Amino acid sequence: FFSLVGAEACAEPSLPPPRLQAVSINKAINTQEVAVKEKHHVSLTALPPCILGTHHEKGAHTFWAAVSRLPLSSNAVICWKFCHVFHKLLRDGHPNVIKDSVRNKADLNDMSRMWGHLSEGYGKLCSIYLRLLITKMEFHIKNPRFPGNLQMSNRQLEEAGENDVNNFFQLTVEMFDYLECELSLFLGVFSSLDMSRSVSVTAAGQCRLAPLIQVILDCSHLYDYTVKLLFKLHSCLPADTLQGHRDRFQEQFKKLKSLFYRSSNLQYFKRLIQIPQLPENPPNFLRASALSEHISPVVVIPAEASSPETEHVVETEDLVDMDVPVLQSRFDDLFGMSASTDRFNFNGQNGVRKDDKDRQIEHLSAELQALKEELEAFRLESGRLCQALRGRVSELEAELAEQSHLKQQALGESEFLKAELDDLRRVKEDTEKEQRSLTEIERKAQANEQRYTKLKEKYTELVQSHADLLRKVDVHTQAKCFTPAPSPLTLARPLSSNQSREELGNQLDALEIEKAGLVEAVAQKEEELVGLGAELERVQRSLVSERESSVKAAEALKNQLNEKESREQALECELVAVRWSALRATAEEAERLILDSLAQMDQQAQVSCTSSADYLMSRCQATLNCVDRLQSARDSFVKDPADVSDLLRAVAQFAHLLGDTIVQGSAATHALSVEHSEGKHPACANEALALLGQLRERGSLSTADSTSLRAALQATLATQKLCPRGLELQQAELGDLVEQEMVATSAAVETAAVRIEEMLNKSRALDTGIKMEVNERILGSCTELMQAIKGLVLASKDLQRDIVESGRGAATIKEFYAKNSRWTEGLISASKAVGWGATVMVDAADLVVQGKGKFEELVVCSHEIAGSTAQLVAASKVKADKDSVNLVRLQQASRVVTQATAGVVASTKSGKSQIEETDTMDFSSLTLTQIKRHEMNSQVRVLELETQLQKERERLGELRKKHYELAGVAEGWGVES
């Protein structure tokens, strides 16, 4: 147990318990990078005041009151020791410690995220440890039957599941999560230590290793309970249902076995704890009798274990001291021998006996072998992490290809819609022309109607005028004929005198003249009337004829339209038949081309042919792009069967590219002398033949899917990416290629910086609130990273120039690169990786800003850039002078890039946290039945995801295996032997 208070605190019995507990906490959690002290005994009376205080007050109020005044957020060592002490309290303190501590879970979670922004040192370890403590509290709150130290009998374990298989199933999942957090801390501590040195005897190393004692105690119980629960579940549920559980247990078993073995070999743990060793193979849960073979791992803490207070602790810088007495003392500490019984007494005159010396050599050889195994385990773990990153890169490339395909498909649909719009415009113009023609005819008919109405009115007016003139002539005639006879009286007068006769004669002449004028006017009117009548008849005949001609013209146009539609339908049917005939013929010819390519693989002449992996990858990528175009052309043809030309061209091009890919794949296999491509190209061919068979049939054209073919091609492309690049380059080209790659890398970084600036301006213009704040922070950190990469590339160029100038002698630059071809290829590969990483990170940032991407993609890209820059620094550093000024500049630039990468990761995680905090899960409106249904759906989803995860892990394992084989070929493993 931990002595959270020194001898001074124990000598102060007059202090009240809360005060004593506070003093104990302050003395245990300090800024010194040394391990927390340990007690010699484990009895209750020997418990330190910190733990006794929780039992005295039945809670942890005093503990949290004292901790709240400590600078946990600013000092990583204090936070690390706090986690250590808190873990001990959760295990051995009063049961109410867990309940009193849960209320501080939010603060611990925030502190974990804050320390997680640091990628190395105690900061990262504190983040992992805090997550473990939060998981431990959540587990015990949800499962109150489990005590803090996890010690339970088999009967208590049965009672915890309440005899319900669903409870046992869920409890197993929670234990898996719990154990995963424990293992993460285990691996984090080991990865932070330099295992090539005796770190377990240094104060700094013991400070990091001390909390693992609690982790080992937790892991032993969790492993034991998990085994028993899995046997219990296999007796109640089908084996297929528990496949995910078995797979997850297998993975954790391998990790725990390795960690227990590595821990047992450390000198620090040998005196403090006896670590159990797990069996060679995991239990077979499919065989029920295997439960009787299971032995629960028991962790033993020796009763008289030595304390770090009496153990000789060595500082790191003292490890190289060659003083004989001190060295002898440290030798004794490491191997447990006293000076009086030392068999390696080098002061003796006769030296060492031969048998003792042999045993010592064997012992040292065993230690050396153990260190070699640990080194190999670290190398494998590093390779696994690299492969995981490469797998993620492949996924990102696949998603990028899918996005490109969607873009091409959208462009095709846009072109199709444009053509359809042009057709509609032409139909609209023809309709408008016919409408204008009909409108003109109606206008003319209306004008004729108006002329007819006017003539009719004029005719009526003339008839009325003629009648008036006739009446007027009749009145004058009657007045002349009926003049009264002279009366006798008048006759008696003198006859009319001469003057009277002249007047009458004049009047009569005037009347005659007037009559003649009226008669003439009547004749003129009659002539006009006759003319108007004739004109009226002519207009009527013209109107009738125009109406008849309009009707005939409309009927003729209608008949022509019907005939045109009939001809068009007939031509369309004939054209459809011609299109399908051309499509079938093209598909059959494409099948013959692919079959011919397959036949060439078995020909003797083809066996002697070789090809480069780079060219095969280019052909494979071109085929993938063609598959996308083929799918787009097929979709366009399904929507509009009028145009088959794009589909015919896509089928023909696809057949040629796939045939070339098959032939080049076979040739590349011969060149590399490995069989990594065997079986891939026939699979591509089979999928292609199946797709062509679907394309040439009307019934299956609309359902033709190229997903399987695309997956086969992507598998081939991913396999070929593992091949060593640049092995087929001529040495004379290496010098030019180095300069080209460095220029391309600089251009890629410049382009990425410009794109980030554009995205930042666009985000400021469109986004508001939290989204704008998150986007500005992420893009700002990306901009800083781009600037740091620019400085790194410039420093790398300067250092390469120094290397070439100092090492080439009388040779040219190209000859120097050719002479050091392996170093040059590494430099080219590193430069490519840096430029590619910058481009991919900008694409990921663009998607994240738009709300379409994942924050994890940006984090992975940042880590990839950090690894790529480290590769570039390592490649540049190999041949550099250690006192070179440019080397110092390059290392400084590398550190700046690392800090900028950490800034991107920190801003990304912080932004993700802000976004996720706004998306809370509200189940308040759900009923009990609905909640149970959602819970069952979540469990089903968890099982599905676990199955998918296992499949991906198997695939990743195969890829790693193939990568190791190909890396061995590239690095020349086994050639010297």
Side-chain angles (χ1 to χ4, degrees):
F1 287 94
F2 295 140
S3 174
L4 304 181
V5 61
E8 299 85 357
C10 294
E12 298 176 357
S14 60
L15 292 176
R19 177 59 179 167
L20 183 62
Q21 185 179 2
V23 171
S24 174
I25 293 171
N26 291 328
K27 289 188 176 182
I29 306 176
N30 52 50
T31 59
Q32 299 178 2
E33 193 176 1
V34 294
V36 180
K37 300 177 184 179
E38 305 222 4
K39 279 287 186 181
H40 295 179
H41 306 286
V42 295
S43 61
L44 185 64
T45 57
L47 287 177
C50 183
I51 296 177
L52 284 175
T54 61
H55 290 276
H56 177 76
E57 66 177 352
K58 294 182 174 54
H61 302 289
T62 303
F63 171 76
W64 284 108
V67 166
S68 63
R69 295 189 291 270
L70 297 177
L72 301 179
S73 300
S74 59
N75 192 305
V77 176
I78 291 180
C79 184
W80 176 252
K81 289 191 173 183
F82 157 74
C83 294
H84 188 177
V85 175
F86 184 38
H87 194 175
K88 181 63 179 176
L89 286 183
L90 292 177
R91 283 186 51 83
D92 300 325
H94 192 274
N96 289 337
V97 170
I98 298 177
K99 297 179 182 178
D100 293 341
S101 302
V102 168
R103 66 190 65 177
N104 299 298
K105 185 176 72 173
D107 296 334
L108 296 177
N109 194 19
D110 293 340
M111 197 184 305
S112 174
R113 286 202 299 267
M114 187 272 294
W115 285 118
H117 294 162
L118 300 180
S119 60
E120 58 184 10
Y122 280 100
K124 182 179 179 180
L125 296 179
C126 290
S127 176
I128 299 175
Y129 208 164
L130 287 169
R131 285 200 298 270
L132 168 60
L133 297 176
I134 293 172
T135 303
K136 182 177 180 67
M137 288 191 296
E138 292 175 346
F139 176 83
H140 289 288
I141 290 296
K142 192 172 183 179
N143 303 281
R145 294 177 183 266
F146 285 82
N149 57 10
L150 294 175
Q151 294 181 1
M152 296 180 69
S153 63
N154 293 336
R155 183 180 60 82
Q156 291 173 328
L157 185 62
E158 289 282 343
E159 293 175 353
E162 299 178 353
N163 201 24
D164 187 351
V165 67
N166 293 323
N167 292 342
F168 284 117
F169 189 95
Q170 183 62 28
L171 182 60
T172 307
V173 174
E174 294 172 0
M175 284 190 175
F176 280 144
D177 297 338
Y178 194 170
L179 185 56
E180 189 69 33
C181 293
E182 301 275 4
L183 294 176
S184 298
L185 181 60
F186 228 136
L187 290 172
V189 172
F190 275 7
S191 62
S192 67
L193 297 174
D194 185 4
M195 304 305 293
S196 63
R197 305 168 65 183
S198 301
V199 292
S200 65
V201 297
T202 63
Q206 292 179 2
C207 184
R208 300 192 183 194
L209 291 173
L212 295 186
I213 296 178
Q214 308 302 313
V215 175
I216 293 172
L217 292 170
D218 286 344
C219 289
S220 62
H221 291 300
L222 290 174
Y223 168 78
D224 183 35
Y225 299 155
T226 303
V227 172
K228 294 176 181 177
L229 289 176
L230 283 176
F231 275 111
K232 177 76 173 178
L233 289 174
H234 278 79
S235 65
C236 303
L237 297 176
D240 294 341
T241 305
L242 299 173
Q243 181 63 44
H245 280 45
R246 291 197 299 274
D247 295 339
R248 194 171 183 185
F249 176 82
Q250 294 277 353
E251 181 183 359
Q252 293 186 349
F253 174 82
K254 294 177 183 177
K255 292 182 180 179
L256 188 60
K257 178 179 174 63
S258 174
L259 293 172
F260 273 9
Y261 176 74
R262 293 168 63 184
S263 301
S264 62
N265 292 326
L266 293 178
Q267 187 68 25
Y268 175 72
F269 290 121
K270 289 182 178 179
R271 299 184 180 182
L272 299 177
I273 187 172
Q274 293 182 6
I275 302 175
Q277 297 300 317
L278 299 184
E280 186 65 24
N281 297 316
N284 184 5
F285 300 109
L286 302 180
R287 183 167 59 89
S289 60
L291 178 60
S292 61
E293 303 172 1
H294 170 66
I295 300 176
S296 300
V298 179
V299 180
V300 179
I301 299 179
E304 296 297 332
S306 62
S307 172
E309 288 181 297
T310 60
E311 183 181 1
H312 184 72
V313 178
V314 191
E315 295 298 331
T316 305
E317 55 270 13
D318 293 338
L319 291 176
V320 296
D321 190 359
M322 300 303 295
D323 183 61
V324 176
V326 177
L327 181 62
Q328 182 66 41
S329 176
R330 290 166 188 162
F331 192 89
D332 294 344
D333 289 340
L334 289 175
F335 294 96
M337 298 180 183
S338 64
S340 61
T341 61
D342 186 10
R343 296 180 181 178
F344 292 90
N345 186 3
F346 296 104
N347 296 325
Q349 182 177 359
N350 296 327
V352 185
R353 292 196 304 271
K354 184 176 181 180
D355 54 344
D356 293 338
K357 183 176 181 181
D358 292 339
R359 284 195 296 271
Q360 187 63 27
I361 291 174
E362 291 176 358
H363 180 72
L364 292 176
S365 299
E367 290 288 338
L368 180 61
Q369 183 64 27
L371 292 175
K372 288 183 178 179
E373 292 177 356
E374 291 183 9
L375 180 62
E376 180 66 17
F378 275 112
R379 190 183 67 81
L380 293 177
E381 182 66 19
S382 300
R384 184 188 69 80
L385 294 176
C386 292
Q387 286 303 309
L389 293 176
R390 289 192 180 96
R392 184 55 182 163
V393 168
S394 300
E395 293 178 3
L396 293 174
E397 289 178 347
E399 292 181 4
L400 181 61
E402 184 66 18
Q403 294 296 330
S404 301
H405 164 63
L406 294 176
K407 179 181 179 182
Q408 294 295 333
Q409 184 176 357
L411 291 176
E413 293 179 356
S414 177
E415 293 296 332
F416 169 74
L417 292 175
K418 287 181 180 179
E420 187 176 4
L421 181 61
D422 293 338
D423 293 339
L424 292 176
R425 286 175 178 172
R426 287 194 296 271
V427 172
K428 182 179 179 182
E429 290 176 357
D430 295 340
T431 305
E432 289 178 352
K433 289 180 181 179
E434 293 180 358
Q435 185 68 29
R436 286 195 298 270
S437 177
L438 291 175
T439 304
E440 184 66 21
I441 293 173
E442 291 179 355
R443 187 183 63 77
K444 290 181 180 180
Q446 187 176 4
N448 291 333
E449 287 286 348
Q450 292 176 356
R451 286 183 60 193
Y452 172 75
T453 303
K454 290 180 180 180
L455 290 174
K456 188 174 181 181
E457 292 176 355
K458 189 67 174 177
Y459 175 75
T460 304
E461 183 181 353
L462 291 174
V463 171
Q464 185 65 32
S465 176
H466 181 260
D468 293 340
L469 290 174
L470 289 178
R471 284 195 299 271
K472 198 171 184 180
V473 170
D474 291 339
V475 171
H476 284 289
T477 303
Q478 290 176 4
K480 183 177 181 181
C481 293
F482 293 100
T483 302
S487 63
L489 180 59
T490 305
L491 292 175
R493 294 180 182 173
L495 295 174
S496 305
S497 65
N498 291 333
Q499 184 178 1
S500 300
R501 286 195 296 272
E502 289 178 359
E503 291 178 355
L504 290 174
N506 291 335
Q507 292 179 356
L508 184 60
D509 293 338
L511 288 174
E512 287 294 339
I513 294 171
E514 186 177 0
K515 179 181 178 181
L518 289 173
V519 171
E520 184 178 359
V522 170
Q524 291 178 354
K525 294 298 183 183
E526 288 178 351
E527 291 177 358
E528 292 179 0
L529 184 60
V530 172
L532 290 175
E535 180 68 19
L536 180 60
E537 291 178 0
R538 186 183 65 78
V539 171
Q540 289 177 342
R541 288 194 300 270
S542 175
L543 182 60
V544 172
S545 63
E546 287 182 359
R547 285 179 178 174
E548 293 176 353
S549 62
S550 298
V551 173
K552 291 179 181 179
E555 292 178 353
L557 289 174
K558 187 176 181 180
N559 294 333
Q560 291 178 1
L561 183 61
N562 293 333
E563 292 176 359
K564 183 179 179 182
E565 290 178 352
S566 300
R567 286 197 306 272
E568 287 180 353
Q569 290 178 358
L571 291 174
E572 183 65 27
C573 295
E574 183 179 356
L575 185 58
V576 169
V578 171
R579 289 170 186 154
W580 278 104
S581 177
L583 181 58
R584 290 193 188 95
T586 306
E588 292 173 358
E589 183 63 25
E591 291 176 354
R592 283 194 290 270
L593 284 172
I594 296 174
L595 293 175
D596 181 65
S597 300
L598 291 175
Q600 291 182 22
M601 295 179 63
D602 300 327
Q603 295 178 3
Q604 186 63 28
Q606 175 65 20
V607 175
S608 61
C609 296
T610 60
S611 178
S612 67
D614 287 332
Y615 184 69
L616 174 59
M617 288 179 61
S618 66
R619 293 292 85 195
C620 189
Q621 187 61 50
T623 306
L624 271 173
N625 297 336
C626 186
V627 170
D628 296 336
R629 291 194 296 272
L630 178 62
Q631 189 72 20
S632 177
R634 195 271 305 178
D635 296 339
S636 300
F637 181 68
V638 170
K639 294 179 180 178
D640 182 17
D643 187 8
V644 75
S645 58
D646 292 340
L647 184 57
L648 295 178
R649 285 193 293 270
V651 170
Q653 185 182 16
F654 165 71
H656 284 86
L657 288 175
L658 183 62
D660 191 18
T661 301
I662 294 173
V663 174
Q664 296 299 329
S666 177
T669 304
H670 302 153
L672 295 176
S673 301
V674 290
E675 299 299 329
H676 61 274
S677 298
E678 184 176 356
K680 295 295 184 181
H681 303 296
C684 297
N686 294 334
E687 296 295 341
L689 292 175
L691 178 61
L692 292 173
Q694 293 177 341
L695 290 177
R696 68 181 184 181
E697 298 297 335
R698 294 191 182 186
S700 59
L701 175 65
S702 58
T703 59
D705 188 12
S706 61
T707 303
S708 301
L709 174 60
R710 188 181 291 106
L713 289 171
Q714 287 175 346
T716 302
L717 186 61
T719 303
Q720 290 299 326
K721 283 182 179 179
L722 300 179
C723 297
R725 301 268 69 82
L727 295 182
E728 62 281 353
L729 286 174
Q730 297 297 327
Q731 290 186 346
E733 302 174 3
L734 290 175
D736 295 335
L737 191 57
V738 170
E739 185 64 26
Q740 292 173 5
E741 288 301 331
M742 295 303 293
V743 172
T745 301
S746 301
V749 174
E750 289 289 344
T751 304
V754 173
R755 287 186 58 192
I756 291 174
E757 186 65 26
E758 293 176 354
M759 287 187 289
L760 185 60
N761 295 333
K762 184 177 180 181
S763 175
R764 289 171 177 171
L766 298 179
D767 300 328
T768 57
I770 295 179
K771 185 176 180 182
M772 182 182 69
E773 178 183 351
V774 171
N775 291 345
E776 285 187 347
R777 190 184 309 128
I778 292 176
L779 294 177
S781 61
C782 291
T783 302
E784 294 177 358
L785 179 57
M786 290 300 109
Q787 297 297 329
I789 294 176
K790 287 182 186 178
L792 180 72
V793 173
L794 294 176
S796 177
K797 287 182 178 179
D798 295 338
L799 182 59
Q800 291 170 30
R801 192 179 301 110
D802 290 350
I803 293 173
V804 173
E805 292 298 329
S806 62
R808 68 185 180 92
T812 62
I813 295 178
K814 290 185 178 180
E815 291 174 349
F816 175 81
Y817 282 124
K819 181 180 178 181
N820 302 275
S821 59
R822 183 58 61 92
W823 173 74
T824 305
E825 289 172 0
L827 199 61
I828 293 172
S829 176
S831 179
K832 281 184 178 179
V834 172
W836 176 85
T839 304
V840 173
M841 192 194 73
V842 174
D843 294 337
D846 191 8
L847 293 177
V848 169
V849 170
Q850 295 178 12
K852 301 178 182 178
K854 300 178 180 179
F855 288 94
E856 292 77 7
E857 295 178 357
L858 202 55
V859 174
V860 171
C861 291
S862 301
H863 290 315
E864 183 66 23
I865 289 178
S868 301
T869 54
Q871 181 183 359
L872 181 60
V873 172
S876 302
K877 186 179 177 182
V878 170
K879 292 186 176 296
D881 185 3
K882 63 179 182 180
D883 297 328
S884 174
V885 177
N886 288 325
L887 177 59
V888 176
R889 286 184 54 220
L890 180 62
Q891 292 173 340
Q892 292 176 351
S894 176
R895 286 192 288 270
V896 173
V897 171
T898 303
Q899 294 174 359
T901 305
V904 174
V905 174
S907 61
T908 302
K909 291 183 178 180
S910 176
K912 181 183 177 183
S913 300
Q914 284 186 274
I915 297 297
E916 289 177 348
E917 287 175 358
T918 59
D919 302 331
T920 58
M921 293 183 290
D922 185 12
F923 300 131
S924 58
S925 61
L926 298 180
T927 63
L928 179 61
T929 304
Q930 292 173 339
I931 291 177
K932 185 64 177 177
R933 184 177 303 164
H934 285 297
E935 182 180 357
M936 294 178 64
N937 293 336
S938 298
Q939 291 178 356
V940 171
R941 182 60 178 162
V942 167
L943 293 177
E944 293 176 350
L945 292 176
E946 288 178 348
T947 303
Q948 295 177 5
L949 178 61
Q950 178 60 25
K951 291 181 180 179
E952 287 299 323
R953 283 173 175 164
E954 293 176 356
R955 180 172 178 269
L956 180 60
E958 292 297 326
L959 288 174
R960 287 174 181 166
K961 181 179 178 182
K962 185 58 64 178
H963 173 260
Y964 292 146
E965 295 176 1
L966 298 177
V969 175
E971 297 296 334
W973 297 346
V975 175
E976 297 178 358
S977 61

